[in-house]
Amino acid sequence: MPETKKIPLEFFTQAPEVQAALQQLADRFDEPGPSHNYKKLIVSDTLDAEGHQYVHLVQEGGGVLGVALVGYTYILEKVGIRFMRLAGTSAGAINTTLLAVVKEDRSRNCTSSERILEYLCEKPFFDFVDGHPFARKLIRWIIKTEHFARRIKNAGLILGITLAVLVLTDIAATGLRHLYPVFHGIAIASYILTGLALLCIGLVAGYGSYLLQRLKNRGFGINPGDNFTEWIKMIMADNGVHNIDDLEAVAGKVPAGLHIRNVEHDRQLGGDPTKGLQPDITLITSDIITQNKIEFPRMWNLFRENKHDIHPAEFVRASMSIPIFFESHIIRNIPRDLPIIQTHWKEHLLMEPADIPTAVRFVDGGVLSNFPINILYNPEITIPRLPTLGIELDDATPADNTINLADNLSLGAYLGKLFNTVRYYYDKDFLLKNSLFRKGIGVIHVHEYNWLDFNISHEKQRELFVLGAQAAARFLLEDFNWEEYKTARIIVHQQVNSSQKNLRGVSDILTKTRK
């Protein structure tokens, strides 16, 4: 049975490994004074009135592995990092939305990530599996059964061999029963067993056909996803978000006292070094009707004339629509004949009025872009004022590259790699062309966990949280250097915009100002 007992926040945050990670950061970055002040840590030149440093953040999707994302952002927030622009897909879209909506509670000295964790502590993940009771039992069985696919394959093989033996026995007994009386009884028994086997196969096939038709009628998804949508709506309502205007207002609120450190800044910004620094969020989903990547909330006006006709919880629901596991999220009755709607389709997707559909069908954003770091790239900025950080969930089992895998793939492995090649290409292509963004990406290794295990135990949830926290600490301690990142961005910008590719002129684009 799924666990329903509420667990305290401290079950996660006071885990010895999490406290050890914070202590390591304090040992490296504390200045004399109160413990855990992290004042030596510099990750950005953009700060607010309280000294918090700001970064852009993109988060990858990964089902229930998203608990690790919360562990990662928990560490970032505890050391004084806050978020300007946020983007994410699927599980990354969930944490992105919650970081934008669920603000820190200063009265309890509670960060956004801690408040998000409180919501997670109160919610059994298996509630999200809200399909037919038989489907819920089947999913729980599949999750708990090790090597499920192998066992099903072996069971099918045994059934096939058994049926073949029975049929051969029927034939042999039928031919011999007139010569040897003993085969008369064997023939009758064999006929009965063969009939029972065929009946079982027929019942399974019939029920399978019924489930397939039910699946088709319900958007080719086992679970409606209504429980998840209502949960997100509840959290939004708790935090004053009831419509798109509310979401844009809370996500786009500029931090008080936003300023840039007393360092070099871009000449083209004129007298306002904070020009263009505007918080926002982007949630990625995939429309399989028009075959387009959709960015919410920016593209809401493709589907409705009035933004209050769509609840922002639908954006999150659309982004996490794992194919087959959840029903596709469908928006119907698009007013395609309205000039304003046609204008928006032309602006966003370059589509002509005749090509605008009457309805769209969303599946998980990870189908097209599981790590949408490209949307946070601003090529106009010469000198970066803050970095773009990313959190990747690496759930791939480490491969032994000394083995020839190309000639030894099973059908399942072949289809899996084919799908992953398609869905990761878009993001990989951007990183290949803009490799310096790799300097801002932290990786959480979660290959030992099942991303669809919605029956996950509290202990495994804590393990994922710990892995996220440890990855964030490792990133800050070993992998990221703000000055190196900033210098690399300046050089790349100069390379792209200089026809002579003369890097000696990099210093000429800098101007120093003193506040």
Side-chain angles (χ1 to χ4, degrees):
M1 291 293 292
E3 299 188 37
T4 57
K5 182 181 178 181
K6 179 181 177 180
I7 51 178
L9 175 70
E10 294 74 21
F11 179 75
F12 294 90
T13 60
Q14 295 302 313
E17 300 91 339
V18 175
Q19 292 301 305
L22 288 171
Q23 187 58 53
Q24 285 180 304
L25 290 163
D27 292 341
R28 172 77 68 84
F29 298 116
D30 268 9
E31 287 187 351
S35 178
H36 293 75
N37 58 62
Y38 311 107
K39 290 185 176 180
K40 291 181 181 178
L41 175 64
I42 299 178
V43 298
S44 172
D45 287 338
T46 303
L47 300 89
D48 63 17
E50 297 182 359
H52 297 127
Q53 303 180 75
Y54 282 79
V55 302
H56 299 320
L57 182 68
V58 59
Q59 300 178 73
E60 187 175 40
V64 299
L65 304 180
V67 175
L69 298 174
V70 183
Y72 198 105
T73 57
Y74 169 77
I75 292 293
L76 296 185
E77 289 196 287
K78 293 301 284 187
V79 299
I81 297 172
R82 297 295 183 267
F83 312 111
M84 185 65 63
R85 300 187 65 200
L86 288 158
T89 298
S90 195
I94 298 171
N95 202 37
T96 288
T97 302
L98 296 181
L99 284 171
V101 170
V102 181
K103 298 301 183 182
E104 58 187 296
D105 185 345
R106 298 176 185 273
S107 65
R108 296 190 293 144
N109 192 29
C110 194
T111 64
S112 291
S113 294
E114 288 172 286
R115 290 197 59 214
I116 291 169
L117 200 55
E118 288 178 330
Y119 283 112
L120 295 179
C121 287
E122 296 172 353
K123 183 64 175 177
F125 287 1
F126 205 75
D127 285 356
F128 298 144
V129 183
D130 55 355
H132 189 277
F134 175 79
R136 287 170 56 88
K137 292 179 180 179
L138 179 63
I139 289 171
R140 188 183 296 123
W141 177 50
I142 292 173
I143 290 172
K144 287 185 175 182
T145 304
E146 292 188 10
H147 308 298
F148 177 79
R150 186 187 304 169
R151 292 194 179 192
I152 290 295
K153 180 180 178 181
N154 291 340
L157 182 62
I158 292 172
L159 180 61
I161 293 173
T162 301
L163 185 60
V165 169
L166 287 173
V167 171
L168 290 174
T169 303
D170 291 343
I171 295 171
T174 300
L176 295 174
R177 64 179 179 172
H178 298 295
L179 299 175
Y180 305 99
V182 68
F183 279 99
H184 184 74
I186 294 175
I188 294 174
S190 182
Y191 295 157
I192 294 173
L193 292 174
T194 302
L196 290 174
L198 291 173
L199 178 63
C200 289
I201 292 174
L203 289 174
V204 170
Y207 193 66
S209 177
Y210 162 76
L211 291 178
L212 184 61
Q213 185 61 42
R214 180 185 175 88
L215 197 66
K216 179 180 179 181
N217 294 339
R218 298 177 67 88
F220 287 107
I222 298 171
N223 301 290
D226 296 337
N227 186 281
F228 172 83
T229 304
E230 292 304 314
W231 181 66
I232 288 292
K233 283 184 178 179
M234 178 271 295
I235 295 175
M236 287 183 170
D238 281 353
N239 292 274
V241 174
H242 304 279
N243 51 52
I244 297 175
D245 281 333
D246 293 337
L247 176 63
E248 291 176 336
V250 71
K253 185 177 181 180
V254 177
L258 194 68
H259 64 279
I260 307 300
R261 290 185 198 274
N262 191 23
V263 293
E264 302 89 355
H265 75 269
D266 201 331
R267 179 181 296 164
Q268 68 182 10
L269 297 174
D272 182 10
T274 63
K275 179 181 178 181
L277 288 177
Q278 177 65 48
D280 65 16
I281 68 167
T282 301
L283 313 178
I284 302 298
T285 187
S286 306
D287 171 32
I288 61 174
I289 300 302
T290 64
Q291 296 93 50
N292 279 302
K293 181 181 78 169
I294 303 298
E295 300 175 11
F296 283 129
R298 184 171 70 89
M299 294 184 181
W300 71 266
N301 54 15
L302 292 172
F303 313 109
R304 290 291 183 266
E305 184 181 16
N306 185 341
K307 65 169 59 176
H308 294 301
D309 291 338
I310 302 181
H311 194 284
E314 291 189 53
F315 304 156
V316 194
R317 172 65 180 85
S319 184
M320 57 72 71
S321 301
I322 301 171
I324 306 301
F325 196 88
F326 286 109
E327 293 178 14
S328 308
H329 186 70
I330 301 175
I331 294 181
R332 300 176 176 85
N333 302 317
I334 298 171
R336 62 190 301 274
D337 295 326
L338 294 179
I340 188 64
I341 296 294
Q342 294 174 357
T343 298
H344 292 149
W345 279 85
K346 185 71 172 180
E347 290 175 349
H348 289 310
L349 301 175
L350 301 178
M351 291 182 64
E352 298 298 331
D355 298 323
I356 300 173
T358 59
V360 288
R361 190 169 191 157
F362 298 117
V363 297
D364 195 297
V367 171
L368 291 178
S369 179
N370 205 38
F371 190 64
I373 195 169
N374 62 299
I375 65 173
L376 300 184
Y377 174 52
N378 184 353
E380 302 301 322
I381 297 298
T382 303
I383 305 173
R385 296 162 290 180
L386 70 172
T388 297
L389 303 187
I391 313 174
E392 281 189 350
L393 294 169
D394 182 6
D395 62 348
T397 302
D400 184 354
N401 291 318
T402 64
I403 299 175
N404 177 8
L405 296 177
D407 292 320
N408 295 282
L409 290 176
S410 65
L411 178 61
Y414 171 78
L415 293 176
K417 289 184 178 296
L418 185 65
F419 177 68
N420 286 336
T421 299
V422 173
R423 74 186 185 117
Y424 287 130
Y425 175 77
Y426 190 87
D427 302 323
K428 282 186 176 180
D429 184 58
F430 174 82
L431 289 172
L432 285 171
K433 294 175 180 177
N434 303 272
S435 58
L436 68 91
F437 276 87
R438 271 283 166 198
K439 294 179 180 291
I441 298 175
V443 180
I444 310 174
H445 298 287
V446 288
H447 63 272
E448 295 182 358
Y449 300 85
N450 183 348
W451 67 288
L452 283 177
D453 184 6
F454 285 86
N455 201 45
I456 188 171
S457 67
H458 293 150
E459 287 70 25
K460 286 190 175 182
Q461 289 181 44
R462 180 169 63 176
E463 290 171 11
L464 286 169
F465 183 86
V466 166
L467 287 174
Q470 291 175 327
R474 184 169 58 250
F475 173 78
L476 295 173
L477 289 166
E478 302 174 7
D479 300 335
F480 186 73
N481 183 297
W482 168 234
E483 291 301 324
E484 289 181 2
Y485 178 95
K486 182 165 62 172
T487 300
R489 285 279 301 274
I490 294 171
I491 292 174
V492 168
H493 187 277
Q494 182 72 358
Q495 287 178 320
V496 171
N497 291 278
S498 171
S499 59
Q500 298 180 350
K501 311 297 183 190
N502 184 359
L503 301 187
R504 292 178 296 178
V506 171
S507 61
D508 294 339
I509 66 173
L510 304 180
T511 180
K512 291 187 178 183
T513 60
R514 300 292 178 185
K515 294 196 175 208

